[in-house]
Amino acid sequence: MKQDVLKQGKEGADAQQLLDYLKGVVIKLDNIDTQAIPFEEYTVPFLDAMLHNDFSGKNVIDAGAGSGFLSVLALRLGARAAFLVENDEVALSEAARVMALNGFVEGRDEEDRRYYLCVADLNNLDQIQSLLPSGFA
């Protein structure tokens, strides 16, 4: 999958085309409300950086998770688990829907790739650390 995405990027696709490809093929985002939870200007550079790094077996923290798009990609790229932190309950609810749409179940799935949702103040690292699952960090 990673090679397909990188190949798509190398075949002259610009950043928006790469994002559209990921949204349409790699990550299901049916009926996502992009007005309520927009893809920020930094989303594409993050995607590019993610595609050039090894996530195999790693735990990731998605601070300011929004729709959960980056967490889905991290799990698809082999991450062991994703901890989605968001201070907006509406956004976190959308992230849960996107994760489910992509076949992930909170806390577990058949490939032992899991995700966790957390509403927290992104400026309070002590709070976030106290909410991390045991053995996560």
Side-chain angles (χ1 to χ4, degrees):
M1 188 273 312
K2 185 174 181 177
Q3 290 75 22
D4 292 341
V5 173
L6 290 173
K7 181 180 174 192
Q8 176 78 9
K10 290 178 182 173
E11 291 178 353
D14 65 15
Q16 187 59 50
Q17 289 170 321
L18 179 59
L19 180 59
D20 291 343
Y21 171 77
L22 288 168
K23 287 175 11 184
V25 177
V26 179
I27 301 172
K28 296 176 186 173
L29 292 171
D30 297 346
N31 301 317
I32 189 168
D33 183 355
T34 55
Q35 296 296 354
I37 305 164
F39 288 101
E40 302 293 344
E41 61 193 38
Y42 50 77
T43 301
V44 171
F46 278 11
L47 291 171
D48 184 56
M50 290 175 73
L51 292 171
H52 290 91
N53 284 281
D54 182 13
F55 283 82
S56 301
K58 296 180 181 173
N59 293 327
V60 298
I61 297 174
D62 188 352
S67 67
F69 182 81
L70 297 175
S71 289
V72 171
L73 182 58
L75 291 167
R76 292 264 194 264
L77 292 173
R80 183 184 154 297
F83 186 72
L84 291 76
V85 184
E86 179 58 64
N87 62 2
D88 180 343
E89 290 185 37
V90 173
L92 202 60
S93 175
E94 183 67 6
R97 192 182 72 74
V98 167
M99 297 301 279
L101 184 64
N102 283 276
F104 295 103
V105 178
E106 187 173 5
R108 69 186 192 302
D109 83 2
E110 64 272 0
E111 295 180 356
D112 196 33
R113 293 201 179 117
R114 55 194 93 227
Y115 76 94
Y116 306 89
L117 299 171
C118 172
V119 175
D121 177 357
L122 298 172
N123 295 309
N124 188 339
L125 293 179
D126 290 335
Q127 178 190 23
I128 294 169
Q129 287 179 328
S130 72
L131 296 169
L132 286 172
S134 176
F136 193 86

